[in-house]
Amino acid sequence: MESILNVDDYGPGRYARTRILQQAGFLVLEAATGMEAIEIAHAQSPGLILLDVNLPDINGFEVCRIMRQTPRGAGATIVHISASNTLPHHQVTGLEGGADGYLVEPVEPAVLIATVKALLRAREAEEALRRSNKELEQFSYRVAHDLTEPLRTIITHTQLMDAARRVQPLPDTSESMRFVVEAARRM
């Protein structure tokens, strides 16, 4: 079950949003201040943070900026939510400041749930891509390593044949040639 941190200083609004999210099957953590949100996010690593812009201690834009500077907060999905900062420049400030989304209240419960699910799907896809890239890097390393070994064999035995050719005009190079051919086939 994915956890969501619901940050809002307005208790009734936080309560209502929490109940909506819980009914949709999410585990919900709550915070009423920016500092409390930062502490909970660092301790619990929620999958998504719904972050009110107007908080009593630190505004949500600053909370987002602070979270993005930490290893755990850098990967969190953060959605600003506000009933008073509803102008386009507020939304731009939030999104350019590191938020992944910006909702204007009142938000219909169905829209809230759909938005949360869509952002969590995007986060999951991004994590799957990171894992896939890491696996691809490991595979590339193994392939490069497996190709390097036969190349070294080819180079070494070619050098041996070249040195032998210089010492003896008609050297017996059949064994070295066999090694070269085997290594080339292995590649």
Side-chain angles (χ1 to χ4, degrees), residues 11-157:
R14 186 177 63 244
Y15 175 85
R17 195 175 309 120
T18 293
R19 295 305 163 260
I20 291 167
L21 293 165
Q22 286 174 333
Q23 288 173 357
F26 295 103
L27 171 66
V28 182
L29 309 167
E30 293 185 337
T33 68
M35 289 307 296
E36 187 180 2
I38 292 168
E39 290 171 12
I40 292 171
H42 291 296
Q44 303 286 326
S45 297
L48 185 134
I49 301 168
L50 288 172
L51 181 58
D52 187 15
V53 173
N54 289 323
L55 296 170
D57 55 350
I58 309 172
N59 74 45
F61 299 138
E62 184 64 15
V63 172
C64 182
R65 188 190 66 72
I66 291 168
M67 286 187 186
R68 290 293 187 222
Q69 293 176 349
T70 65
R72 281 190 162 178
T77 299
I78 299 174
V79 179
H80 283 301
I81 191 162
S82 183
S84 56
N85 293 336
T86 61
L87 298 175
H89 76 272
H90 295 126
Q91 295 173 23
V92 169
T93 298
L95 295 169
E96 287 183 349
D100 300 293
Y102 199 108
L103 294 172
V104 174
E105 291 189 297
V107 179
E108 288 292 322
V111 172
L112 175 65
I113 298 303
T115 300
V116 166
K117 287 180 177 179
L119 288 168
L120 289 173
R121 279 193 311 272
R123 179 173 167 250
E124 186 178 307
E126 192 175 309
E127 288 173 1
L129 181 59
R130 275 193 206 103
R131 285 190 303 273
S132 177
N133 283 343
K134 187 173 182 172
E135 290 171 5
L136 183 58
E137 281 179 30
Q138 292 171 346
F139 175 75
S140 300
Y141 174 78
R142 285 192 308 272
V143 167
H145 179 267
D146 289 349
L147 284 175
T148 303
E149 192 177 323
L151 280 174
R152 273 189 261 139
T153 301
I154 290 170
I155 291 168
T156 301
H157 286 280

